[in-house]
Amino acid sequence: PQRKPVVLTGLELGTCTTKWTTDYLSQAEGSKEVKIHVSAVPQMDFLSKNFVYRTLPFDVFVRRAAEVKHKEYFLTEDEKYYLRSVGEDVRKDIADIRKQFPVLAEDVHIPEYFEKEQFFSSVFRISSAGLQLWTHYDVMDNFLIQVTGKKRVVLYSPRDAPYLYLSGTKSEVLDVDNPDLEKYPLFVKAKRYQCVLEAGDVLFIPALWFHNVISEEFGVALNVFWKHLPAESYDKTDTYGNKDPMAASRAIQILDRALKTLEELPEEYRDFYARRMVLRIQEKAYRNDYG
């Protein structure tokens, strides 16, 4: 059976749900510098990079993210802010709230639905109201713990990948509410699942499920990723939890080589053998219980 997302309510998450006001957050971790995304528009697009990276002291950033109009700003007075915590060295270190925000980490109790050695990362996130993150998938299971504020999450099953116009792990369809159907006609076939997370709710997002997140209010969240597959399945250079498993990357490289080899044939033959290859993939690798 397919693993599905689920919203868990009433979990014991620690004192964070009551303590994490803007005042408390800004004084708890003080003025250490954080790298943030700044966007002039609410819909952030990773493919066209319609945002800039800037650095602010944490306390200043929290206050700015919590306000709607800014006296001080980088791009526009109603710009949006987004913090996705990262390790000390982004290329080598994973995000871990215990290391990057030790004072705040004391206030959080992470639900124990996985073994300690499966833990991969805990990503601290703060978003301005109205900010929308692009649709993407991760290769690990994760909990989105909504500590304060309110988020709307739209999800799509991995089996709807053919309709999501993927570029790597990301979908090109930015506006999932009013999609450009001339540009993305197949998108109508993707089945939409939606939930609204209130403060204290936890969303389980299984690996490979696509998700699009909009912060309906200023809010603080924590994502916890863990290794659902054996540890050696994952790419060692992956610090974000979004690089395809090693075997998947190798298979795609081999397929690309096979397609290059087909180019040695005339078009009529190439078409014939390509279709046979597709059938073979379906027979050998597709699940047969997809209804």
Side-chain angles (χ1 to χ4, degrees), residues 35 83-88 90 93-96 100-101 123 240:
K35 191 177 178 189
L83 166 72
R84 183 234 189 258
S85 66
V86 290
E88 284 67 31
V90 183
D93 303 320
I94 50 132
D96 185 343
Q100 287 104 35
F101 299 92
V123 182
Y240 286 94

Side-chain angles (χ1 to χ4, degrees), residues 83-119:
L83 166 72
R84 183 234 189 258
S85 66
V86 290
E88 284 67 31
D89 178 339
V90 183
R91 290 181 302 280
K92 294 196 197 79
D93 303 320
I94 50 132
D96 185 343
I97 189 174
R98 293 168 297 194
K99 290 185 187 150
Q100 287 104 35
F101 299 92
V103 181
L104 296 176
E106 295 287 308
D107 302 335
V108 185
H109 177 260
I110 290 169
E112 291 170 11
Y113 282 77
F114 53 92
E115 301 297 328
K116 283 205 173 18
E117 60 273 14
Q118 288 179 279
F119 171 84

Side-chain angles (χ1 to χ4, degrees), residues 24-33 58-59 97 99-105 124:
Y24 174 77
L25 288 168
S26 48
Q27 59 87 28
E29 294 284 352
S31 58
K32 72 156 146 224
E33 303 260 287
F58 184 71
D59 49 359
I97 189 174
K99 290 185 187 150
Q100 287 104 35
F101 299 92
V103 181
L104 296 176
F124 186 58

Side-chain angles (χ1 to χ4, degrees), residues 64 66-73 76-79:
R64 282 218 212 162
E67 58 189 30
V68 178
K69 283 265 188 283
H70 315 293
K71 286 194 177 65
E72 292 178 36
Y73 51 85
T76 61
E77 64 173 8
D78 54 0
E79 66 194 12

Side-chain angles (χ1 to χ4, degrees), residues 184-231:
Y184 308 116
L186 294 176
F187 185 70
V188 290
K189 293 183 158 185
K191 183 177 178 191
R192 172 189 179 123
Y193 297 84
Q194 181 173 313
C195 63
V196 173
L197 301 180
E198 305 280 353
D201 290 349
V202 177
L203 172 63
F204 168 57
I205 307 176
L208 309 182
W209 274 76
F210 295 87
H211 43 289
N212 175 291
V213 182
I214 187 163
S215 296
E216 299 200 338
E217 301 166 350
F218 163 76
V220 184
L222 184 67
N223 260 119
V224 183
F225 292 88
W226 66 92
K227 295 169 182 172
H228 164 65
L229 307 175

